Amino acid sequence: MTGTEPAAQEIDTTRPHPARVYDWFLGGKDNYPVDEQLGRQITAIDGGAPRAARANRAFMRRATRALAEETGIRQFLDIGTGIPTEPNLHQIAQSVAPDARVVYVDNDPIVLAHANALLRGTPEGVTEYVQADARDPRGILEQAAHVLDFDRPVALSLIALLHFVADEDGAHELVGTLVDALAPGSCLVLSTMTADFEPENVHRGIAAYAAGGVTLVARSQAEVGVFFEGLRLLEPGIVSVADWRPEDAPDGDGPISLYGGVGLK
């Protein structure tokens, strides 16, 4: 582990947790009945929710590979890591560049319990895990600096994270603090939920999450664009994650209500 290890935390199995619900969508086993219950509620509202989770993972893989191959970035900071689902980000990055350095960040005790699965990287590279809250960007940067050189380019990944942080709770300050710390040549990789494509389904899903005690925010394309201000968007810009440099035929029919984009500093 990097930095000071936190005291052991209890895993709260009485309330759903986004990382565990996401794990259920992906067919994982690291979730509890309360997470499955919410996952089934969401799927009843929007049968495409598991497909969106898969499309989001595929976007992460394509964006990571593109940055490693096309920009020469060799450092990756992934905040809101979630429960390990292979291939993980470090496996993609280190398959292109074995010496890539990767820092994962999450605050869920169940992710910490599975962190060893995230730390099996290449001998040439470095893979570390930091237990921290995304709402503490300065603390994250301080711990990540034990592994990453912030005077050199870093790929900052905020994958399916920001829809759990409302604007009034500091979403823009969070991103701004992190991006400001990055050297020129760095990139922001971001995906977040939108109601632009299926407003009725998405807003019903938001209500279901709220009933489970989880904040969820849908943003328009223009609102997502604000996170990339001052950065140069790589082609094709801010699009549904399924449409960001797709490599395969679509996974099923219907829109994917997640925007994704990559911006270069």
Side-chain angles (χ1 to χ4, degrees):
M1 300 297 169
T2 301
T4 303
E5 290 191 31
Q9 291 177 267
E10 290 291 322
I11 295 174
D12 184 355
T13 61
T14 65
R15 297 175 56 189
H17 189 285
R20 302 194 308 253
V21 176
Y22 190 70
D23 177 72
W24 184 83
F25 283 146
L26 291 171
K29 304 296 183 188
D30 297 305
N31 52 77
Y32 294 91
V34 67
D35 307 302
E36 179 178 350
Q37 181 182 4
L38 179 54
R40 289 191 182 280
Q41 285 180 315
I42 300 298
T43 304
I45 295 166
D46 177 9
R51 188 167 63 92
R54 293 192 299 270
N56 185 64
R57 289 290 299 181
F59 163 71
M60 177 279 289
R61 294 194 296 266
R62 295 195 305 274
T64 300
R65 186 179 297 110
L67 293 183
E69 290 177 346
E70 298 171 20
T71 71
I73 286 177
R74 296 294 179 262
Q75 302 189 108
F76 296 82
L77 176 58
D78 179 38
I79 301 177
T81 298
I83 295 164
T85 303
E86 291 196 351
N88 293 296
L89 187 149
H90 74 279
Q91 293 168 312
I92 301 294
Q94 292 175 351
S95 72
V96 176
D99 61 341
R101 305 173 76 85
V102 179
V103 173
Y104 290 111
V105 181
D106 208 292
N107 71 332
D108 183 11
I110 200 169
V111 180
L112 175 62
H114 290 274
N116 281 341
L118 289 169
L119 303 181
R120 299 189 189 118
T122 57
E124 306 95 317
V126 178
T127 312
E128 281 287 357
Y129 178 82
V130 169
Q131 180 84 355
D133 195 307
R135 293 175 178 82
D136 179 22
R138 296 188 190 284
I140 289 171
L141 291 167
E142 183 180 340
Q143 292 194 70
H146 292 286
V147 176
L148 305 179
D149 178 359
F150 284 100
D151 291 328
R152 295 171 54 228
V154 173
L156 168 65
S157 290
L158 305 177
I159 302 291
L161 171 70
L162 289 172
H163 45 241
F164 297 113
V165 186
D167 291 356
E168 57 268 28
D169 291 334
H172 292 94
E173 292 78 4
L174 184 162
V175 176
T177 299
L178 294 167
V179 172
D180 285 349
L182 303 180
S186 296
C187 284
L188 169 64
V189 182
L190 184 153
S191 68
T192 193
M193 193 178 67
T194 184
D196 284 1
F197 308 130
E198 297 180 294
E200 196 172 308
N201 281 353
V202 168
H203 287 302
R204 291 209 313 253
I206 289 172
Y209 268 100
V214 178
T215 297
L216 204 57
V217 181
R219 293 184 172 93
S220 68
Q221 188 180 44
E223 289 170 330
V224 175
V226 174
F227 291 114
F228 290 99
E229 283 185 354
L231 305 178
R232 177 172 66 82
L233 280 167
L234 303 188
E235 291 295 332
I238 298 169
V239 295
S240 168
V241 291
D243 297 327
W244 198 91
R245 304 189 185 185
E247 297 170 352
D248 302 309
D251 174 12
D253 297 321
I256 299 293
S257 293
L258 290 160
Y259 277 128
V262 178
L264 176 67
K265 183 172 179 179

